[in-house]
């Protein structure tokens, strides 16, 4: 069974507000596959024809590659408002809100967050009507350019409002 949950977004520009997928766009996330340690970058090497194996420079810490993730999103409500909600959300991701297009993202379901993500595209739109209501499902593809820096929410003093998504301190 798939459990739906919300995702928190914040632009990297100064003063940008944290946006909650559920409260801002009435959407839930069905899948958000952060990779904890994606592939390592290719290492510099020499392959000598007259020797076995190869000479590879192996640093003390292996650098990680950026990666793409594809998140599942679902809007449930009246089909008449679905188009406007989807367009508003995608407009936010591409920077139409005036705060740029670079994102910090936090998944409260897994407690994983990353910075320096950007929108690559949306696809696989499914429009469904049932006796319980209408829904639109789709995928959002994001590029994770910083695969390691952890991002966590910073709350107000009364712990009721997320003020910002910040780097996790060691």
């Amino acid at each position: 069974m798939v459990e739906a949950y919300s995702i928190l977004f914040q632009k990297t520009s100064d003063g940008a507000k944290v946006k909650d997928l559920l409260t801002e766009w009435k959407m839930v996330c069905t899948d958000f596959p952060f990779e904890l340690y994606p592939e390592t970058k290719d290492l510099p090497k020499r392959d000598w024809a007259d020797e076995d194996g190869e000479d590879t420079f192996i640093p003390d810490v292996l650098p990680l590659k950026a990666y793409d993730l594809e998140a599942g999103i679902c809007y449930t409500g009246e089909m008449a408002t679905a188009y406007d909600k989807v367009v508003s959300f995608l407009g936010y991701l591409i920077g139409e809100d005036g705060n740029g297009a670079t994102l910090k993202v936090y998944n409260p379901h897994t407690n994983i967050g990353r910075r320096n993500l950007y929108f690559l595209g949306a696809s696989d739109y499914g429009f469904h009507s049932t006796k319980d209501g209408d829904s639109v499902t789709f995928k959002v593809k994001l590029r994770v350019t910083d695969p390691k820096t952890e991002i966590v929410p910073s709350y107000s003093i009364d712990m009721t409002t997320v003020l910002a998504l910040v780097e996790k301190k060691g």
Side-chain angles (χ1 to χ4, degrees):
M1 183 173 148
V2 175
E3 181 181 341
Y5 49 90
S6 190
I7 297 291
L8 301 177
F9 295 91
Q10 185 180 25
K11 298 293 181 81
T12 57
S13 60
D14 290 339
K17 303 266 188 243
V18 174
K19 304 275 188 171
D20 184 305
L21 184 64
L22 180 61
T23 58
E24 186 74 24
W25 295 284
K26 310 294 185 232
M27 296 179 189
V28 293
C29 185
T30 58
D31 183 38
F32 207 92
F34 277 122
E35 293 184 29
L36 294 179
Y37 281 84
E39 290 183 47
T40 59
K41 289 185 174 184
D42 295 333
L43 299 176
K45 61 185 128 228
R46 290 187 186 145
D47 193 1
W48 303 102
D50 61 340
E51 293 181 13
D52 294 333
E54 63 188 16
D55 289 334
T56 304
F57 170 73
I58 303 172
D60 291 338
V61 177
L62 297 171
L64 301 175
K65 288 183 180 179
Y67 67 95
D68 298 340
L69 72 78
E70 198 168 63
I73 307 293
C74 180
Y75 169 80
T76 301
E78 293 183 29
M79 201 57 73
T81 59
Y83 177 82
D84 292 338
K85 292 292 185 184
V86 171
V87 167
S88 173
F89 175 58
L90 297 177
Y92 171 78
L93 293 179
I94 67 170
E96 289 180 347
D97 65 331
N99 284 314
T102 307
L103 299 162
K104 292 184 270 184
V105 178
Y106 181 76
N107 182 336
H109 182 69
T110 61
N111 296 319
I112 299 172
R114 294 289 182 262
R115 67 177 183 178
N116 297 339
L117 287 80
Y118 65 90
F119 177 77
L120 291 175
S123 63
D124 298 335
Y125 294 95
F127 299 89
H128 311 281
S129 290
T130 67
K131 62 180 171 113
D132 297 324
D134 299 325
S135 68
V136 177
T137 58
F138 60 101
K139 299 280 187 179
V140 171
K141 193 172 192 179
L142 301 169
R143 181 75 171 170
V144 181
T145 65
D146 182 348
K148 194 143 185 219
T149 302
E150 295 182 38
I151 297 295
V152 294
S154 172
Y155 291 94
S156 62
I157 293 173
D158 60 6
M159 297 297 286
T160 59
T161 306
V162 177
L163 298 175
L165 299 178
V166 297
E167 286 185 34
K168 183 177 179 181
K169 301 296 181 196

